[in-house]
């Protein structure tokens, strides 16, 4: 191994990776709650949490223990069989939805959305197959979820994409009223747009979409992949709005970094799937389900929903009067710092140099989605670093 490591250290790593991401400047080797350490031992405050994934902190002891114990018992069996953790997780997700829903487990957010799209089409039949989403949305990178993603720039080079998708304007109900008709199978919406810049839906928009979908007999799908699992202060952001979808999808924080996704649908919708219609080799396997159950239990036992709310308010207050800041928006610990100019990339790079991990979700917007378990003192320290960088930006 030593020989392999030495040779890796010497070569340009871009030889081995597809150039889908920029070339990273840091290799992280260790994480503890909201802190990361690189190979030289330098400490970083992590306000990104693996993009809203590591919600109960890096190397959370309860999650690590659950994965370890499960690995000693049973890792994988296929979905031809139940496992104890996967039965319990399905029941838990039903409860957290508000005592409704049947689940299909996947390995990622895109796959959870693929399931939602296929289910909506199966439910609608050949005459009712159109999916309406929002411009500036993000639903994933697989061909179906990419077609649902209302960002034409992300389609370039990958056409032809699956057909039967159309796009309204986020927070503009009238544009959806024009698009939703008898051929519509479903509307898919993020209650808070994540990759689009942390843009919360207006209450009237989501309420109006619910009424529209009911009146025109199509399904309402909420993509809760970034906003779910407690990040906004409720289990699901739709619970902030009091609007219930027919289907919703989850991933990211669901396994605190162990890959797992879920598509949860009302029984009368889920019934459209018959054995053989959809599947996944790994989805919800015992290891992933054990990680997810431990994550959910940890959130419950440590009251992290109210902590997300409280720390979100603290974060907004800490940054509200920072230089260059136009507004801090979002819910709970899903926050965007809107800047007056397009310097977010520069700020993000400087932050990394100073030991702070944040993300420029748009040229003029910094995304902050730290672990819900971040200590107040660490959050304050992170915000101080960010403020000092903003003060130095011209
Ligand atoms: C709202 C939303 N939907 C879907 C996805 C895709 O999830 P994944 O990257 O796990 O496929 C993401 C990822 O950022 C997301 O934020």
């Amino acid at each position: 191994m030593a020989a392999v490591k030495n040779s890796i250290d010497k070569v340009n790593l871009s030889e081995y990776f597809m150039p889908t991401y920029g070339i990273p400047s840091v290799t992280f080797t260790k994480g503890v709650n909201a802190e990361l350490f690189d190979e030289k031992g330098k400490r970083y405050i992590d306000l990104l949490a693996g993009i809203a994934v590591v919600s109960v902190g890096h190397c959370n002891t309860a999650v690590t223990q659950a994965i370890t114990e499960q690995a000693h018992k049973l890792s994988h069996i296929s979905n031809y069989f139940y496992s104890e953790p996967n039965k319990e997780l399905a029941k838990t997700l039903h409860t957290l939805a508000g005592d409704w829903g049947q689940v299909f487990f996947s390995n990622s957010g895109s796959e959870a959305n693929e399931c939602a799209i296929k289910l909506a089409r199966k439910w609608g039949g050949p005459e009712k197959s159109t999916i309406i989403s929002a411009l500036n949305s993000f639903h994933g990178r697989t061909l179906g979820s990419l077609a649902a993603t209302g960002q034409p720039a992300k389609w370039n080079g990958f056409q032809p994409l699956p057909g039967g998708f159309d796009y309204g304007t986020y927070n503009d109900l009238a544009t959806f009223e024009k698009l939703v008709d008898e051929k519509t199978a479903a509307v898919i919406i993020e209650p808070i747009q994540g990759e689009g810049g942390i843009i919360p839906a207006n209450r009237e928009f989501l309420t109006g979409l619910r009424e529209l979908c009911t009146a025109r007999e199509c399904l309402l799908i909420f993509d809760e992949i970034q906003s779910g699992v407690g990040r906004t202060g409720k289990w699901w952001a739709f619970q902030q709005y009091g609007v219930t979808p027919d289907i919703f999808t989850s991933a990211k924080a669901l396994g605190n970094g162990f890959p797992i996704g879920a598509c949860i649908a009302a029984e009368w919708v889920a019934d459209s799937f018959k054995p053989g219609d959809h599947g996944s080799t790994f989805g919800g396997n015992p290891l992933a389900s054990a990680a997810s159950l431990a994550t959910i239990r940890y959130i419950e036992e440590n009251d992290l929903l109210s902590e997300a709310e409280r720390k979100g308010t603290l974060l907004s207050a800490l940054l509200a009067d920072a230089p260059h800041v136009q507004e801090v928006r979002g819910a709970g610990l899903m926050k965007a710092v809107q800047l007056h100019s397009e310097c977010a990339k520069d700020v993000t790079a400087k932050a990394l140099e100073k030991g702070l991990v944040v993300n420029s979700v748009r040229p003029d917007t910094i995304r902050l989605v730290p672990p819900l378990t971040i200590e107040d003192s660490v959050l304050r320290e992170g915000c101080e670093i960010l403020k000092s960088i903003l003060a130095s930006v011209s």
Side-chain angles (χ1 to χ4, degrees):
M1 274 313 279
V4 173
K5 188 173 182 312
N6 286 339
S7 69
I8 283 176
D9 286 345
K10 282 194 192 119
V11 297
N12 181 352
L13 280 165
S14 62
E15 274 185 47
Y16 300 123
F17 288 93
M18 288 197 192
T20 49
Y21 305 98
I23 297 171
S25 55
V26 180
T27 299
F28 288 120
T29 53
K30 191 172 141 68
V32 184
N33 197 17
E35 290 162 283
L36 286 166
F37 299 87
D38 70 13
E39 54 201 338
K40 294 189 186 105
K42 177 177 165 185
R43 169 184 176 260
Y44 298 76
I45 291 174
D46 186 8
L47 299 187
L48 183 61
I51 319 181
V53 167
V54 190
S55 281
V56 299
H58 291 285
C59 300
N60 179 291
T61 310
V63 178
T64 305
Q65 192 182 334
I67 294 170
T68 309
E69 282 173 10
Q70 190 59 47
H72 281 290
K73 268 194 254 169
L74 186 66
S75 295
H76 180 82
I77 41 172
S78 100
N79 282 308
Y80 295 150
F81 309 99
Y82 288 130
S83 70
E84 288 303 327
N86 130 299
K87 285 195 288 189
E88 201 177 331
L89 182 59
K91 185 164 170 275
T92 302
L93 290 175
H94 176 98
T95 307
L96 298 184
D99 287 326
W100 64 273
Q102 297 183 336
V103 64
F104 175 88
F105 288 116
S106 63
N107 311 287
S108 68
S110 301
E111 283 178 67
N113 283 338
E114 288 291 335
C115 175
I117 293 164
K118 283 179 73 179
L119 177 59
R121 288 208 164 148
K122 192 78 204 303
W123 172 82
E127 303 302 320
K128 214 171 166 52
S129 60
T130 311
I131 309 287
I132 312 292
S133 72
L135 292 168
N136 198 47
S137 61
F138 186 82
H139 298 293
R141 302 282 192 169
T142 54
L143 289 176
S145 63
L146 183 60
T149 292
Q151 297 189 51
K154 296 210 172 354
W155 306 337
N156 290 341
F158 304 110
Q159 285 101 339
L161 295 176
F165 290 82
D166 215 335
Y167 313 90
T169 304
Y170 197 65
N171 277 332
D172 182 351
L173 186 61
T175 62
F176 284 80
E177 283 170 341
K178 281 196 196 122
L179 291 169
V180 175
D181 60 19
E182 70 288 348
K183 294 199 182 100
T184 307
V187 171
I188 180 165
I189 286 286
E190 294 159 89
I192 300 178
Q193 285 190 332
E195 300 305 299
I198 315 286
I199 303 179
N202 299 330
R203 189 173 295 277
E204 311 76 58
F205 176 60
L206 284 199
T207 313
L209 274 185
R210 174 67 282 176
E211 284 166 9
L212 181 68
C213 290
T214 306
R216 305 217 178 143
E217 296 181 352
C218 70
L219 304 174
L220 179 61
I221 305 170
F222 283 155
D223 179 339
E224 289 267 5
I225 284 154
Q226 195 159 148
S227 56
V229 201
R231 177 146 295 278
T232 68
K234 300 269 188 214
W235 282 108
W236 314 107
F238 69 76
Q239 293 164 338
Q240 301 274 6
Y241 292 87
V243 177
T244 306
D246 305 304
I247 304 177
F248 69 98
T249 53
S250 175
K252 285 197 183 279
L254 193 57
N256 202 51
F258 203 105
I260 181 166
C263 173
I264 297 113
E267 199 177 333
W268 58 272
V269 180
D271 266 356
S272 310
F273 269 162
K274 301 294 172 235
D277 276 346
H278 196 51
S280 164
T281 297
F282 295 121
N285 83 7
L287 265 187
S289 296
S292 181
L293 274 173
T295 303
I296 291 169
R297 279 194 200 118
Y298 194 89
I299 293 173
E300 257 169 357
E301 286 165 7
N302 293 278
D303 205 11
L304 293 185
L305 301 189
S306 43
E307 282 294 274
E309 190 103 51
R310 183 183 69 75
K311 289 173 192 170
T313 307
L314 174 63
L315 186 153
S316 298
L318 289 169
L319 294 173
D321 62 352
H324 283 283
V325 173
Q326 190 178 318
E327 67 162 344
V328 183
R329 61 168 177 268
L333 280 176
M334 184 171 181
K335 287 275 155 71
V337 181
Q338 176 71 50
L339 305 171
H340 282 294
S341 59
E342 300 200 339
C343 58
K345 258 213 160 91
D346 190 23
V347 170
T348 301
K350 287 193 168 128
L352 201 61
E353 276 169 26
K354 290 204 164 193
L356 177 69
V357 181
V358 296
N359 161 254
S360 56
V361 69
R362 290 200 312 205
D364 58 356
T365 313
I366 293 171
R367 168 168 50 185
L368 302 176
V369 283
L372 312 184
T373 46
I374 188 168
E375 298 88 348
D376 285 9
S377 58
V378 177
L379 184 60
R380 283 177 194 281
E381 196 185 336
C383 289
E384 275 313 310
I385 298 173
L386 188 54
K387 270 169 103 167
S388 72
I389 294 163
L390 288 169
S392 73
V393 171
S394 52

